[in-house]
Amino acid sequence: MRGEAGPGAALPGGRRRAESDPTGPGTGPGLGPRTPVPGPGAMMRFMLLFSRQGKLRLQKWYLATADKDKKKMVRELMQVVLARKPKMCSFLEWRDLKVVYKRYASLYFCCAIEGQDNELITLELIHRYVELLDKYFGSVCELDIIFNFEKAYFILDEFVMGGEIQDTSKKSVLKAIEQADLLQEEDESPRSVLEEMGLA
Amino acid sequence: MALKMVKGSIDRMFDKNLQDLVRGIRNHKEDEAKYISQCIDEIKQELKQDNIAVKANAVCKLTYLQMLGYDISWAAFNIIEVMSASKFTFKRIGYLAASQCFHEGTDVIMLTTNQIRKDLSSPNQYDTGVALTGLSCFVTPDLARDLANDIMTLMSHTKPYIRKKAVLIMYKVFLKYPESLRPAFPRLKEKLEDPDPGVQSAAVNVICELARRNPKNYLSLAPLFFKLMTSSTNNWVLIKIIKLFGALTPLEPRLGKKLIEPLTNLIHSTSAMSLLYECVNTVIAVLISLSSGMPNHSASIQLCVQKLRILIEDSDQNLKYLGLLAMSKILKTHPKSVQSHKDLILQCLDDKDESIRLRALDLLYGMVSKKNLMEIVKKLMIHVDKAEGTTYRDELLTKIIDICSQSNYQYITNFEWYISILVELTRLEGTRHGHLIAAQMLDVAIRVKAIRKFAVSQMAMLLDNAHLIASNTQRNGICEVLYAAAWICGEFSEHLEEANQTLEAMLRPKVTTLPGHIQAVYVQNMVKLYASILQQKERSGEKEGAQEITQLMIERLPQFVQSADLEVQERASCILQLIKYIQKLQIKEVPVAEEVIALFAGELNPVAPKAQKKVPVPEGLDLDAWINEPPSDSESEDEKPKTIFHDEEQRHSRHRQPEIDEEELARRREARKQEQANNPFYIKSSPSPQKRYQDTPGVEHIPVVQIDLSVPLKVPGMPMSDQYVKLEEERRHKQKLEKDKKKKKQKKEKRGKHHRHNSLHTESEEDIAPAHHVDIITEEMPENALPSDEDDKDPNDPYKALDIDLDKPLADSEKLPVQRHRNVETLKSPDSEAPLVEKKSKKPKKKEKKHKEKEREKGKKKEKEKKVVEEEEEKKKSSKHKKKKHKKEKDEKSKDKKKSKKKSHHSEEETTESVQNGTLDDEPLPVSSSALAALTYDIQGNLQNDSQVTVSVIFENKSTSFLKSMELNVLDSLNTKMLRPEGSSVHDGIPVPFQLPPGISNEAQFVFTLQSIVMAQKLKGTLSFIVKNDEGSTHEKLDFKLHFSCASYLITTPCYSDAFAKLLESGDLHMSSIKVDGISISFQHLLAKICFHHHFSVVERVDSCASMYSRSIQGHHVCLLVKKGENSVSIDGKCNDSTLLSNLLDEMKETLSKC
């Protein structure tokens, strides 16, 4: 399965390509008079992972949002990001938010942040998340994320919480995940014994 | 039991797991929807089973489907079931599903409270962690309220893993349940110094986020953060702190000065681009907020610009983009420092990334000067040619025009060049901005007289080559320029060299394919051309020529008469008849040219956009008076409310006039003239609207007349703006030489101090003198227009005043309700605080106190203000209406500080009076009194919070016993609730923080929250207390009612008459009116009553008419027009909210009817 050309290609380490914004220029904070100023906060609003084909692979919303709005925003943003040419910068202004995205192999990692947030550190956050996935899955590829999407969420939840970075140390995030997984296995093992008993 | 388990396990073996589902979906690409609906049916079956493992598996699959866009809200209850599984594996899945699909609208969410609480206190830290994570996504106000205490406890958990999560989630809790902030804050602050770096950074994150939304409450933390900033090495944390300081500095300029040094150090030392960028941004923000009083801030700006240059030069597109972004911030305040990097920014125009190019374009706008405009535009023109994609090209086009036309063409030294640029731009195909170019052509040709000759020649060329342009006839396409070209050629036809040729070009059959509005202009302007040709021919005695041209018109015009466009058809047929008539006259050899030309006599001058507004209404003209009496519908309407306000408004303007005395006016006018005279671009408006430009005085001075000849000769087709760049360089060079020469001369004849003002001029101007002394005609004003100086300012000033008025409360309302707590605290007398708080939050006393002291300090100011207000009330009471000068009194009062004694005295006095006087008309109102105690209260809106009012209650002990353990309780309504301390139920009373010895009274304050303020409210309440004397003690009760009138939600706010007029004009307000008969008191007295009881302020008063203004705590504007008749008063009100208005008016009616 790993051999697949598309989603199977390993994500990080390889080319990471950055792209950017079709909504255009004049919409920067504090740029021209016609710029809608992004809100004052500095929190991440949501994170999306989607494929080059426009398939959503993961979505995490840090502000509870109605399903209808979520869908609309995802669709809109995906269109915008996918339309960006390679070699374009990774930032764009979109609605009242700033979008920071980065492409790893066939997957786009896309964060919507508030007006005051730092684009570069968000980019770093994305990269760190990819590194975490990579460490956890061992050279992660899109299929890992598809088939183990709950794990991808668990890792993200250990790393970012409520839109704020939770732990800047990769080690401690991975440790927490491992421990939790261990707990899960402990959970499961006694049950299988029980089941065997039941079957027997 | 065993059997069931066996059955469950067997079933489970046949269930699809997540992997199967994913694989299945991938294998059913054709009929995905069908396959999924089948899966959902299976999942529904699985959810019905008792086995939790099966359920968890089903929920996990649902979560996946949710991401694909399927609705899974129907399974919310099952998700909760899985969340409450005892096993971590399932719990984890349950919480994940919940965090993905729960939101405030999910109704079953309230069922989770207890489960979450249980998980939070689980001995397993991962259970707790998973619950916290989930909660952070779907926390609701109810959950926040119920769980706040549990989470707060977790902030001091032994495991850093939990502490860190608890701290982070606190932010979400604060947002949903603001009341939790104050009790939790000390502990949160403590976490800033947590030994675990993760917890510490979490605390920094939360506090920074809080502080940036509401900075002034966190100023006191600045030293702590300063310490953290200088000691921390974690970039994530540093960025947050620096961001926080960026928010704090506007409030505390001293902080800014302190910050510059460590920030510049960081800029020098850090290798992390994200940190560098943050520092640069903050330094910029700090410098902007300091703007003055920083001695060496040019060095810091220089450093920032330098670093940004490095970013922009970087090969990384992201850095480039951000560098440009930050550069544009500097540009606003320090354009000079950015301008020196023009080369770099021009380079960015070549970038392959469009977003970067567009950023660079934005920057260019602010960087042009007279010196470099041509060069920059030249560069842009090259880009226009190269640009692929119309969007970017159109963006370039608009930018070129923006850049050139900014500040009234301030940077254009050679308008011939500009016209050429515009003409060159017409070569763009497929642009959507044809009208923009056309508008520029018209504007320049009309306003720059000296350029008309050149402009006309260029426009004639355009008309001649119309076929190139007209191929694209889409609306707003480039063909729009023909509109301008035709008009310019027609209107200024006397400048045309080959008028015949142009006329023929306009009569070509191809013209009929143009859009109707352009053809219409063609038709109209060909007559102008015709008229001027006719005149020319008649003067030179070429009768035949004159008849020929008439014949040409008669032959060609019918094609327009047939036009499908009504406008074209109508004009053409009208003109055709006219020309036929002329032909008749010509045959009779009657000279007609003079009469024909008279049709178009008189120059069209540009009219200032505001001209109409500036014409004062002549004395004696009442625009609102009926010309014919309207058919009377009902007699009762003797006053038309709508017209009243207009009437009033005019009166304002008329009355404002005399305020500025004639001398001042003359002086200002003179100053303005002077200024215009010195500015080559503003040489007076043309003295009369006659056609006078033939002898424009400026024309002789044009030093480079030759250009007119040289350029069009060289470039017969389309003009080439590039030529001008070279010419301009030569010209400047020449100018410089001349200048030098003059200088030398000056040196030689040193004594001749009377050298030409000319040279002085060039010397003082570091910029280049314009090529022509072009008159940009100032736009025409009506003769009797009001002098513009004051008028220009007027629309701005009231807006500014309004801005502040409107924005302040709004901005505050966005803030976190942090404020709320503080308010409660500041409102309470010091000794009351400790017990109150201690009761609800079990936290270290010490911390609490420290915290409190700070708050108290902050509170002091507010308290003082309050006292002043009270004092003022008292004053008013004694000397009923000394209106107007209250402010001064206030100031004086505020100096007088020893108050407390006086205060108690004052309240006592009031109480007694109120008891005696049944129809007491002053607040505080007595609510209740018994033989033992009396209550008096006063309600005040709180400007800082749009949903709170403060009720000050004065308790008086009328007995001879000691009153203690007083507790005040109020029965909340849905709308109005008493703000109770954290954790107490709605049935608990609030203890009154003092005891009352016999005969003493004291005051306490209670805060109420309200949702809607449009209606008055009455709340029932009870005061319970213990009466203690020598014989023992008894429990007593006193019932009372609190009446929240609508007026109590109003806050006296001063308003300028202009702002007031604007407000009325805006048309956003609803209106309503009342009339009260039988008023005997004086108007003065009456106004005072309204001011006092209903919290209004007088905006303007004229005779027996006054306009008044007030504002509600929620920002409603309330405007009143009060008119006094013989025995009656009519009040017309306007307000954003009609209910509020009618209630206010009812209240007012009540007050007035008591007069």
Side-chain angles (χ1 to χ4, degrees):
Chain A
M1 211 173 285
R2 287 272 161 91
E4 275 183 42
L11 287 183
R15 329 97 290 187
R16 4 185 206 112
R17 287 207 250 148
E19 359 241 290
S20 190
D21 134 12
T23 50
T27 46
L31 248 202
R34 59 208 168 106
T35 58
V37 182
M43 231 183 59
M44 198 197 293
R45 289 282 191 81
F46 58 86
M47 186 186 224
L48 303 178
L49 261 69
F50 51 87
S51 70
R52 215 171 29 180
Q53 290 78 28
K55 283 254 196 304
L56 193 61
R57 294 302 180 209
L58 183 144
Q59 54 172 340
K60 188 81 200 177
W61 298 76
Y62 294 109
L63 215 62
T65 315
D67 270 355
K68 208 178 72 192
D69 300 330
K70 277 188 196 170
K71 269 188 213 166
K72 195 167 163 239
M73 289 167 88
V74 168
R75 207 179 325 123
E76 210 175 292
L77 190 59
M78 237 166 5
Q79 247 171 23
V80 168
V81 171
L82 288 173
R84 305 264 304 177
K85 295 196 193 78
K87 304 261 164 121
M88 277 178 132
C89 66
S90 303
F91 316 123
L92 56 113
E93 266 134 24
W94 179 77
R95 296 192 175 190
D96 60 337
L97 298 172
K98 297 195 285 192
V99 171
V100 177
Y101 73 91
K102 195 158 186 173
R103 187 177 148 177
Y104 290 88
S106 58
L107 259 194
Y108 285 87
F109 288 70
C110 180
C111 291
I113 55 177
E114 289 174 340
Q116 297 292 309
D117 217 343
N118 188 315
E119 289 95 335
L120 291 173
I121 206 80
T122 311
L123 215 51
E124 194 156 335
L125 182 143
I126 291 178
H127 190 65
R128 243 175 224 221
Y129 179 49
V130 175
E131 282 176 342
L132 283 170
L133 289 173
D134 204 43
K135 280 253 168 61
Y136 183 83
F137 289 108
S139 171
V140 67
C141 72
E142 193 181 336
L143 285 175
D144 289 326
I145 295 172
I146 298 173
F147 282 104
N148 302 288
F149 87 110
E150 85 276 19
K151 299 278 185 208
Y153 277 117
F154 294 149
I155 296 172
L156 183 60
D157 285 342
E158 282 303 326
F159 182 44
V160 179
M161 186 167 141
E164 298 281 1
I165 186 147
Q166 199 183 132
D167 209 315
T168 52
S169 143
K170 264 181 280 181
K171 237 189 231 160
S172 67
V173 174
L174 282 173
K175 204 180 114 205
I177 286 287
E178 272 161 26
Q179 301 263 315
D181 280 352
L182 218 64
L183 197 66
Q184 183 164 342
E185 277 156 28
E186 274 168 25
D187 260 7
E188 268 160 9
S189 49
R191 194 202 20 251
S192 61
V193 172
L194 259 180
E195 275 171 7
E196 271 165 31
M197 276 169 59
L199 279 170
Chain B
M1 172 73 195
L3 191 69
K4 213 174 179 185
M5 202 175 266
V6 173
K7 193 168 170 290
S9 306
I10 292 174
D11 281 346
R12 219 187 137 215
M13 277 164 43
F14 297 108
D15 290 340
K16 282 195 192 80
N17 64 14
L18 177 69
Q19 271 73 19
D20 298 331
L21 176 78
V22 175
R23 217 164 276 139
I25 292 174
R26 290 169 72 84
N27 291 336
H28 288 78
K29 287 226 162 84
E30 281 82 51
D31 53 347
E32 194 182 288
K34 195 177 146 211
Y35 177 76
I36 289 178
S37 75
Q38 197 184 322
C39 290
I40 291 183
D41 287 342
E42 283 170 23
I43 290 170
K44 280 184 181 162
Q45 288 305 315
E46 287 165 30
L47 287 175
K48 280 183 192 148
Q49 294 192 28
D50 286 338
N51 190 324
I52 193 74
V54 178
K55 272 187 188 163
N57 184 42
V59 164
C60 186
K61 288 190 280 184
L62 279 179
T63 314
Y64 185 79
L65 293 178
Q66 190 261 352
M67 187 170 65
L68 296 183
Y70 291 86
D71 177 34
I72 64 159
S73 55
W74 51 271
F77 187 75
N78 303 104
I79 293 174
I80 294 181
E81 280 181 308
V82 177
M83 277 162 74
S84 46
S86 58
K87 293 206 169 78
F88 177 69
T89 320
F90 307 141
K91 193 182 286 300
R92 211 181 187 190
I93 288 169
Y95 272 103
L96 173 65
S99 70
Q100 289 302 100
C101 73
F102 282 9
H103 52 89
E104 275 183 36
T106 310
D107 42 8
V108 291
I109 217 166
M110 61 204 194
L111 300 177
T112 59
T113 317
N114 279 325
Q115 181 55 43
I116 296 174
R117 182 172 284 141
K118 213 176 111 197
D119 289 336
L120 288 181
S121 53
S122 158
N124 179 349
Q125 61 166 335
Y126 294 103
D127 280 350
T128 314
V130 117
L132 285 172
T133 308
L135 194 58
S136 76
C137 290
F138 58 76
V139 61
T140 63
D142 286 343
L143 283 176
R145 189 195 55 226
D146 297 340
L147 297 172
N149 205 30
D150 303 69
I151 300 172
M152 207 169 76
T153 323
L154 289 180
M155 283 205 288
S156 314
H157 200 272
T158 49
K159 300 221 167 80
Y161 177 80
I162 300 295
R163 287 208 298 275
K164 161 184 94 181
K165 282 179 192 275
V167 167
L168 277 178
I169 201 183
M170 256 350 253
Y171 180 61
K172 298 273 173 185
V173 173
F174 295 151
L175 286 181
K176 299 288 178 188
Y177 181 59
E179 287 85 343
S180 59
L181 177 56
R182 214 172 51 83
F185 193 76
R187 197 173 296 191
L188 184 60
K189 205 175 124 191
E190 215 175 271
K191 297 295 145 205
L192 284 176
E193 286 162 309
D194 195 280
D196 183 85
V199 180
Q200 195 189 27
S201 92
V204 168
N205 277 350
V206 171
I207 293 185
C208 286
E209 203 55 33
L210 287 171
R212 282 182 329 96
R213 309 233 174 205
N214 202 353
K216 68 172 186 295
N217 295 333
Y218 296 88
L219 269 175
S220 59
L221 288 180
L224 183 56
F225 275 110
F226 202 82
K227 202 178 89 193
L228 276 177
M229 181 174 79
T230 42
S231 61
S232 175
T233 51
N234 183 334
N235 285 347
W236 305 75
V237 171
L238 277 175
I239 286 177
K240 281 279 174 188
I241 296 177
I242 290 167
K243 225 183 260 298
L244 167 76
F245 278 126
L248 292 182
T249 37
L251 300 170
E252 181 53 274
R254 281 175 301 175
L255 193 58
K257 285 176 195 169
K258 248 191 157 175
L259 270 177
I260 293 289
E261 203 205 318
L263 284 184
T264 37
N265 285 346
L266 270 177
I267 291 178
H268 279 301
S269 63
T270 185
S271 59
M273 281 301 175
S274 48
L275 182 57
L276 173 75
Y277 181 63
E278 196 61 52
C279 290
V280 169
N281 259 336
T282 306
V283 169
I284 296 169
V286 166
L287 291 179
I288 288 173
S289 73
L290 290 177
S291 69
S292 60
M294 267 295 289
N296 56 348
H297 77 302
S298 67
S300 314
I301 278 288
Q302 224 43 53
L303 177 67
C304 289
V305 174
Q306 253 171 41
K307 286 285 170 183
L308 288 179
R309 189 181 169 105
I310 295 172
L311 289 193
I312 296 173
E313 279 170 339
D314 199 287
S315 59
D316 185 339
Q317 300 292 81
N318 294 332
L319 297 183
K320 212 177 259 232
Y321 178 90
L322 293 178
L324 291 168
L325 198 64
M327 211 54 129
S328 66
K329 282 182 202 150
I330 300 186
L331 185 69
K332 274 188 203 146
T333 46
H334 301 82
K336 283 259 162 62
S337 351
V338 182
Q339 267 159 14
S340 53
H341 299 280
K342 193 188 71 200
D343 55 320
L344 185 65
I345 287 153
L346 282 174
Q347 262 174 39
C348 290
L349 286 180
D350 296 319
D351 201 280
K352 40 198 177 314
D353 184 347
E354 190 175 300
S355 24
I356 287 177
R357 290 199 301 261
L358 290 170
R359 285 275 169 242
L361 270 182
D362 278 340
L363 269 174
L364 275 185
Y365 179 85
M367 292 180 61
V368 289
S369 66
K370 284 183 183 170
K371 244 181 247 175
N372 62 20
L373 176 72
M374 283 186 164
E375 183 198 339
I376 288 181
V377 171
K378 184 182 163 191
K379 183 111 197 202
L380 290 179
M381 291 299 284
I382 295 172
H383 281 281
V384 171
D385 286 339
K386 282 195 298 191
E388 75 262 354
T390 45
T391 348
Y392 177 60
R393 211 176 46 181
D394 278 0
E395 186 66 29
L396 272 170
L397 187 151
T398 42
K399 267 280 138 49
I400 291 177
I401 290 182
D402 279 355
I403 288 174
C404 291
S405 62
Q406 67 177 311
S407 340
N408 213 359
Y409 307 102
Q410 191 190 345
Y411 300 115
I412 295 186
T413 50
N414 186 333
F415 278 91
E416 285 186 16
W417 164 82
Y418 186 44
I419 293 272
S420 316
I421 288 284
L422 289 176
V423 173
E424 270 176 55
L425 285 176
T426 63
R427 277 184 271 162
L428 281 188
E429 269 170 43
T431 178
R432 286 176 296 108
H433 293 303
H435 62 286
L436 200 62
I437 306 177
Q440 284 288 298
M441 287 173 167
L442 286 171
D443 199 39
V444 172
I446 295 169
R447 292 176 59 193
V448 188
K449 281 184 176 178
I451 202 66
R452 283 181 189 163
K453 191 174 166 60
F454 180 77
V456 166
S457 71
Q458 293 299 316
M459 294 303 117
M461 209 138 56
L462 272 185
L463 287 178
D464 210 28
N465 296 315
H467 55 280
L468 296 177
I469 293 165
S471 55
N472 169 9
T473 52
Q474 85 195 63
R475 186 94 191 166
N476 272 339
I478 202 64
C479 62
E480 291 287 327
V481 298
L482 293 176
Y483 178 102
W487 190 87
I488 292 170
C489 285
E491 185 64 22
F492 307 119
S493 52
E494 66 277 359
H495 295 299
L496 261 181
E497 310 233 326
E498 300 282 347
N500 267 325
Q501 201 182 328
T502 308
L503 182 61
E504 265 179 60
M506 287 171 82
L507 283 165
R508 278 181 204 144
K510 187 93 194 222
V511 172
T512 52
T513 60
L514 288 173
H517 67 287
I518 300 180
Q519 283 187 59
V521 168
Y522 262 69
V523 171
Q524 194 71 20
N525 283 284
M526 60 180 76
V527 197
K528 293 183 197 165
L529 262 182
Y530 166 76
S532 87
I533 296 173
L534 206 61
Q535 191 187 34
Q536 198 188 324
K537 300 272 183 200
E538 272 190 16
R539 275 194 190 149
S540 59
E542 298 173 55
K543 275 181 202 159
E544 273 160 38
Q547 281 178 3
E548 262 169 38
I549 200 85
T550 312
Q551 189 56 37
L552 179 75
M553 290 290 279
I554 289 175
E555 275 168 23
R556 298 283 184 84
L557 269 175
Q559 62 183 340
F560 295 107
V561 177
Q562 290 157 9
S563 171
D565 191 284
L566 198 63
E567 185 74 24
V568 180
Q569 192 194 51
E570 204 170 351
R571 290 190 192 195
S573 55
C574 190
I575 285 162
L576 185 60
Q577 288 313 310
L578 177 76
I579 292 184
K580 280 182 179 163
Y581 181 67
I582 294 171
Q583 195 179 31
K584 270 186 207 162
L585 291 176
Q586 276 182 329
I587 293 169
K588 292 178 195 162
E589 303 208 346
V590 182
V592 285
E594 288 310 318
E595 279 167 59
V596 178
I597 207 116
L599 284 175
F600 307 105
E603 189 174 358
L604 291 175
N605 280 336
V607 176
K610 282 180 251 156
Q612 181 65 50
K613 236 172 97 189
K614 294 195 177 181
V615 185
V617 179
E619 279 308 318
L621 171 65
D622 185 358
L623 288 174
D624 298 309
W626 292 100
I627 297 172
N628 295 312
E629 276 304 312
S632 68
D633 27 63
S634 72
E635 293 99 324
S636 64
E637 275 184 56
D638 46 353
E639 284 157 323
K640 282 265 173 251
K642 259 183 196 159
T643 58
I644 285 165
F645 274 96
H646 280 287
D647 208 32
E648 187 57 31
E649 205 179 299
Q650 273 154 29
R651 202 169 285 137
H652 293 324
S653 58
R654 249 177 261 151
H655 279 277
R656 215 185 309 132
Q657 251 177 299
E659 280 168 22
I660 299 157
D661 58 294
E662 286 303 317
E663 242 174 78
E664 170 70 6
L665 274 183
R667 199 187 56 73
R668 284 192 198 174
R669 223 174 268 149
E670 202 46 51
R672 196 166 130 252
K673 268 187 200 155
Q674 197 70 35
E675 189 193 290
Q676 285 180 1
N678 289 338
N679 187 338
F681 284 74
Y682 290 88
I683 300 187
K684 71 216 170 255
S685 62
S686 54
S688 84
Q690 244 60 290
K691 291 206 176 202
R692 306 194 22 169
Y693 33 86
Q694 286 93 336
D695 52 25
T696 314
V699 175
E700 303 104 62
H701 301 308
I702 300 177
V704 279
V705 194
Q706 308 91 317
I707 296 173
D708 291 8
L709 298 171
S710 62
V711 176
L713 274 182
K714 274 184 196 160
V715 201
M718 296 290 194
M720 287 296 291
S721 57
D722 287 1
Q723 309 285 336
Y724 289 100
V725 181
K726 246 181 252 165
L727 283 170
E728 181 70 14
E729 268 163 25
E730 282 167 26
R731 189 180 70 82
R732 281 179 197 174
H733 185 65
K734 231 187 279 172
Q735 237 175 22
K736 212 182 149 197
L737 285 181
E738 261 171 56
K739 216 196 285 176
D740 290 349
K741 239 187 253 168
K742 265 180 203 158
K743 263 187 202 162
K744 274 177 202 162
K745 244 190 209 168
Q746 278 165 29
K747 268 182 196 166
K748 275 177 194 166
E749 34 175 285
K750 249 191 176 175
R751 55 216 300 273
K753 273 207 168 176
H754 278 298
H755 41 242
R756 309 281 318 253
H757 70 101
N758 197 348
S759 63
L760 263 180
H761 207 69
T762 33
E763 252 183 70
S764 64
E765 240 184 11
E766 35 129 53
D767 264 318
I768 303 98
H772 336 197
H773 278 270
V774 188
D775 306 351
I776 291 185
I777 303 171
T778 48
E779 290 159 322
E780 192 162 78
M781 279 292 178
E783 283 161 32
N784 52 352
L786 300 170
S788 63
D789 293 49
E790 53 156 349
D791 219 64
D792 276 345
K793 270 182 202 160
D794 265 351
N796 288 335
D797 275 344
Y799 273 130
K800 264 177 206 159
L802 258 188
D803 259 355
I804 296 159
D805 274 5
L806 294 175
D807 285 355
K808 253 191 186 159
L810 269 183
D812 280 341
S813 73
E814 286 162 6
K815 286 176 184 171
L816 286 176
V818 189
Q819 197 99 39
R820 190 186 260 175
H821 290 281
R822 307 254 146 123
N823 281 343
V824 175
E825 181 130 30
T826 58
L827 295 174
K828 278 167 191 151
S829 66
D831 38 356
S832 71
E833 282 174 79
L836 252 184
V837 184
E838 257 170 31
K839 212 173 163 190
K840 52 204 145 135
S841 56
K842 348 147 188 172
K843 73 198 74 157
K845 227 179 183 177
K846 227 170 146 190
K847 288 272 161 178
E848 180 69 15
K849 265 193 184 151
K850 227 205 259 162
H851 178 52
K852 205 148 295 152
E853 255 157 30
K854 248 171 234 154
E855 311 238 286
R856 214 174 292 151
E857 259 167 55
K858 263 180 241 156
K860 259 183 201 160
K861 209 172 144 199
K862 174 124 210 252
E863 229 161 17
K864 215 188 281 168
E865 272 167 39
K866 273 203 58 106
K867 281 178 192 167
V868 173
V869 176
E870 263 164 47
E871 179 80 346
E872 199 194 358
E873 262 166 31
E874 188 185 39
K875 181 100 186 166
K876 265 191 202 160
K877 219 168 101 181
S878 53
S879 59
K880 281 265 156 114
H881 18 261
K882 263 202 212 156
K883 281 257 61 221
K884 296 285 177 187
K885 293 294 173 190
H886 279 317
K887 264 187 201 156
K888 270 187 188 162
E889 283 174 15
K890 243 191 229 177
D891 293 342
E892 283 164 23
K893 288 283 152 175
S894 65
K895 279 170 203 155
D896 160 358
K897 274 190 183 159
K898 41 166 198 171
K899 292 231 90 187
S900 52
K901 253 192 200 168
K902 219 178 165 189
K903 203 163 101 190
S904 58
H905 183 65
H906 139 72
S907 46
E908 213 170 15
E909 184 184 278
E910 265 176 343
T911 337
T912 43
E913 192 185 316
S914 63
V915 174
Q916 290 159 0
N917 188 351
T919 56
L920 175 94
D921 45 18
D922 282 335
E923 296 168 86
L925 301 167
V927 245
S928 185
S929 70
S930 67
L932 294 168
L935 277 182
T936 321
Y937 73 94
D938 167 31
I939 302 171
Q940 273 169 337
N942 179 351
L943 243 190
Q944 261 71 50
N945 195 314
D946 61 11
S947 55
Q948 284 189 1
V949 290
T950 307
V951 180
S952 318
V953 185
I954 298 162
F955 302 86
E956 190 201 3
N957 184 352
K958 293 163 72 180
S959 68
T960 50
S961 319
F962 208 83
L963 299 188
K964 54 182 266 189
S965 302
M966 291 191 283
E967 238 185 45
L968 184 109
N969 196 11
V970 171
L971 216 54
D972 290 351
S973 73
L974 270 179
N975 187 48
T976 313
K977 294 185 167 65
M978 181 153 75
L979 199 66
R980 291 181 169 81
E982 164 79 7
S984 54
S985 90
V986 288
H987 307 296
D988 294 348
I990 294 189
V992 178
F994 46 76
Q995 304 180 338
L996 286 180
I1000 295 297
S1001 54
N1002 201 350
E1003 180 186 327
Q1005 286 169 328
F1006 302 88
V1007 176
F1008 285 74
T1009 60
L1010 357 107
Q1011 266 147 25
S1012 161
I1013 59 156
V1014 299
M1015 288 211 282
Q1017 295 270 335
K1018 267 185 192 155
L1019 293 188
K1020 275 188 193 165
T1022 319
L1023 176 74
S1024 60
F1025 51 91
I1026 296 173
V1027 184
K1028 194 182 175 193
N1029 50 23
D1030 303 339
E1031 293 148 32
S1033 52
T1034 47
H1035 260 281
E1036 294 289 344
K1037 263 188 174 180
L1038 179 62
D1039 290 329
F1040 60 88
K1041 262 186 193 170
L1042 290 176
H1043 181 229
F1044 293 81
S1045 65
C1046 283
S1048 57
Y1049 305 136
L1050 294 185
I1051 295 176
T1052 315
T1053 317
C1055 181
Y1056 298 107
S1057 55
D1058 343 19
F1060 187 76
K1062 275 270 152 17
L1063 205 58
L1064 292 178
E1065 262 172 33
S1066 71
D1068 304 334
L1069 308 182
H1070 303 271
M1071 79 165 289
S1072 169
S1073 36
I1074 53 160
K1075 195 170 172 185
V1076 186
D1077 291 320
I1079 302 284
S1080 51
I1081 56 171
S1082 73
F1083 190 54
Q1084 173 84 346
H1085 196 154
L1086 185 109
L1087 290 184
K1089 265 196 185 306
I1090 296 176
C1091 287
F1092 182 47
H1093 292 294
H1094 301 278
H1095 304 153
F1096 275 85
S1097 63
V1098 176
V1099 178
E1100 196 159 9
R1101 188 187 153 187
V1102 180
D1103 305 330
S1104 59
C1105 224
S1107 46
M1108 307 183 86
Y1109 175 80
S1110 184
R1111 203 156 57 90
S1112 79
I1113 52 171
Q1114 293 185 353
H1116 301 100
H1117 301 282
V1118 191
C1119 306
L1120 294 184
L1121 180 73
V1122 185
K1123 272 190 172 180
K1124 181 150 164 41
E1126 271 297 288
N1127 244 330
S1128 67
V1129 174
S1130 69
I1131 300 179
D1132 298 299
K1134 281 194 169 189
C1135 172
N1136 309 63
D1137 189 293
S1138 54
T1139 326
L1140 176 65
L1141 179 63
S1142 66
N1143 285 327
L1144 279 170
L1145 289 179
D1146 287 347
E1147 284 169 16
M1148 239 171 265
K1149 197 166 183 174
E1150 190 140 331
T1151 319
L1152 293 179
S1153 58
K1154 282 181 195 156
C1155 297

